[in-house]
Amino acid sequence: EGERLTLKQAKARHDGNHLGYLRTAEAYDDADDMINRNPFHLNWAAFRWDASYLPYYQRLRKGDPEIIAEKTQGYAEALASIDMSLKRLDAVQDRLPDGAYAFFRWKLEETRYFLIVRCELALAWLKAERRLYTDDVAEKQRLLPEITDHLERLEAYCANHAGERFDGEWLGRRHTFRRGELYGAEAWPAEFRRFWQLQLVSDMGQTSDQNRNRHRYAVG
């Protein structure tokens, strides 16, 4: 007689088998069925409808160092562009119609928020993928604190901007926004640590005061 499951148990098993993000990270061959291994192997992924993207996807999912370098440079350039836009907006503040400055500054700051939280997580993910697939022990050791730094910057940035909101008028309409309300980025580091099986531990060799304010992650 087969195993009998409740509807809730059956659904949980189905989700666990078909949604990669409910699993934990593991290496796999390019030819393997990836739908159960990687949350980005989905029907709408570019390489599923254009096979020419597949080689790049395979490099991307393994954290190719060239791609990490490209993403790091692109992140820095985009951040510099947004910061320049904020300065230019500040420079013309007195020449803008009522409500325009506050509205557009919020929009630019929200773009900056979105860029930072997405890029910090993306770089952490790429480096975690690289760490999984490289055979270079020294590289594995170097990447772990870099991953930690990305997660800590993401957590600190979300905490520093928690509770920010905009409530104002523009073009005759009342607008109310909350910082990052569509992203839920504050929950990403915890899920990242679960998927990559990272365990929070205090730094060894630090004083008790230093340990209160400084942590690192180790593979569990």
Side-chain angles (χ1 to χ4, degrees), residues 69-83 115 119 123:
E70 291 171 3
K71 298 297 183 183
T72 300
Q73 181 179 350
Y75 176 25
E77 291 173 353
L79 191 58
S81 176
I82 293 175
D83 288 342
L115 174 71
C119 287
L123 287 171

Side-chain angles (χ1 to χ4, degrees), residues 40 51 88 145 152 155-156 171 198:
F40 300 111
R88 289 174 175 172
E152 289 181 345
E155 289 174 314
L171 296 181
L198 299 177

Side-chain angles (χ1 to χ4, degrees), residues 132-163:
L132 179 65
Y133 284 97
T134 184
D135 294 324
D136 188 328
V137 175
E139 185 179 20
K140 288 178 181 286
Q141 294 175 341
R142 173 180 60 79
L143 287 170
L144 185 57
E146 292 183 16
I147 294 167
T148 297
D149 288 342
H150 287 300
L151 294 177
E152 289 181 345
R153 281 195 293 270
L154 173 56
E155 289 174 314
Y157 191 75
C158 289
N160 289 340
H161 293 275

Side-chain angles (χ1 to χ4, degrees), residues 99-100 102-110 161-170 173-183:
F103 180 82
F104 286 110
R105 184 165 183 87
W106 173 273
K107 289 293 186 179
L108 281 171
E109 289 173 345
E110 184 73 351
H161 293 275
E164 291 182 352
R165 59 179 289 155
F166 172 85
D167 190 0
E169 287 190 11
W170 173 238
R173 292 183 58 189
R174 194 77 185 175
H175 300 272
T176 300
F177 306 119
R178 292 177 179 81
R179 182 70 70 209
E181 63 182 337
L182 300 180
Y183 315 136

